[in-house]
Amino acid sequence: MNSVSASISRRRHHEDPTLNRSLVRGVEILRAFQPGVDLLGNGEIAERAQLSRATVSRLTQTLVECGMLEYDRARRAYRLAAPVLSLAHTMRTGSPVLGAIAPLMRELAERMRINVGLATADRDEMVYLESFRYNRKVALRNVVAGQRVPMELTSLGRAHLAVVDDKERSTLLAQFRQRDGIDWHRLREEIDAAMRDVNTKGCCAASWQPEVVAIAAPLILPWRPIYVLNVSVRTSDSISATKKQLSGSLLTLCEKAKNALLTVDA
């Protein structure tokens, strides 16, 4: 996550008088662990979570006692413990949303030999909840549940931006604008075009990885977070040609998913 947007989110939570500040800080410590990082010392955690070292030292000890962190005495650093994975497994296996939608996603992926994913937003990123990958090259089957992708660059994220309320969208766009090394004018034009496509055609397309085109559509139901479904293929065809080819199947999947979830909620 971008340091600016993470800082804004942390500050908002820390200043909210209705929240337990120690619990919020403990969650920020757990969030400091990102893919590809096994061990973090108190200093690294303090920098990532933007907390004092004294606070981090106290809370990491508590998290060790609770079983959420392991302490490596030789390296004087911490790693996430097994119960964290267990919580994720419990969420996935117990989710009525995944139970209803995953079979539909798998059927489409197998029938059309394409990639099909389901994601939701976490702060300024999209998190995959489920992913069925059917690329011939094994090395490209690397999107798994729990993986994060940028909101502003992906069709998943742009579809989400199209349907959130104006206040949240404005906050997110302001965060994206502050990122280092971006052409904000070009990026804003792409985001605006994608949002128009969602509002008029039900889906949008993007290609943020070489030769991979993804098309996404929001899935909105009462009393649930915003979910986004996407399909993607590795292709040398243009974004517009791929969108024309696959958008119908994606929108049909969305309609089936809505009906399935409405049945679950009935």
Side-chain angles (χ1 to χ4, degrees), residues 113-153:
R113 295 295 173 182
I114 58 177
N115 306 320
V116 182
L118 175 71
T120 193
D122 178 32
R123 295 183 175 176
D124 63 343
E125 296 176 310
M126 301 300 292
V127 180
Y128 273 95
L129 302 176
E130 187 59 275
S131 177
F132 295 97
R133 320 304 290 180
Y134 279 89
N135 196 296
R136 288 190 296 272
K137 294 184 178 181
V138 175
L140 296 171
R141 299 176 189 171
N142 57 356
V143 177
V144 296
Q147 184 165 332
R148 295 173 176 269
V149 295
M151 182 180 290
E152 72 275 23
L153 300 179

Side-chain angles (χ1 to χ4, degrees), residues 182-201:
I182 66 163
D183 180 349
W184 173 244
H185 180 71
R186 177 191 59 78
L187 181 58
R188 180 61 193 266
E189 286 184 344
E190 290 181 1
I191 292 173
D192 287 344
M195 292 192 298
R196 286 194 298 270
D197 279 351
V198 171
N199 291 326
T200 58
K201 303 173 185 177

